[in-house]
Amino acid sequence: MKNYKIALTALLTSILSLTAVSTVSADISNYASWKQSGESWSSDIIGSSGETISEVGCKIVSTAIQLVRSGAVTDDSFNPGVLNAYFSSHGGYNGSGMNFTAADGYNGSDFSYEGSLKLTDTYLKDHTKELVDYYNKGLYMVM
């Protein structure tokens, strides 16, 4: 079984909260074009936040994309709404946002959350080497 890893990067000073339910299938071959808005899952509520994926779901959509991109998910019924429902029922949301460790082992894989890097200054170039190192280690980043 492959070992899938993800590194979360909160880009610059943006920190978003996220959480609901979607059972509509999506062809995962189109995963790179998934968006927060205008999708079957866009009106799904994120956890108990009362907010929708369309409003604050950038992290859950990005995480869903990376799960497919990494090969950890191959089921055509998977989409950000399915992952949101999974996170909602598996402790994936807390008072301060997402608990990314809820994705560990998703779909029976060895996918695991490896940590986060908070980029707080306006000079992304100062963090370029660190980001490249993560990439070279085979980590899938959510920004």
Side-chain angles (χ1 to χ4, degrees), residues 8-15 116-127 130-131 143:
L8 164 69
T9 303
L11 182 58
L12 302 175
T13 56
S14 55
I15 299 173
S116 65
L117 167 67
K118 184 177 179 184
L119 306 177
T120 56
D121 62 352
T122 56
Y123 297 103
L124 185 57
K125 65 180 179 154
D126 294 340
H127 298 284
E130 193 169 3
L131 293 171
M143 300 182 96

Side-chain angles (χ1 to χ4, degrees), residues 1 28 30-31 36-37 51 59 61 90-91 95 98 100 102-104 119 127:
M1 184 175 290
I28 63 168
N30 296 324
Y31 73 91
Q36 284 175 245
S37 299
E51 296 178 290
K59 288 181 187 174
V61 173
H90 288 84
M98 285 181 71
F100 284 90
D104 289 358
L119 306 177
H127 298 284

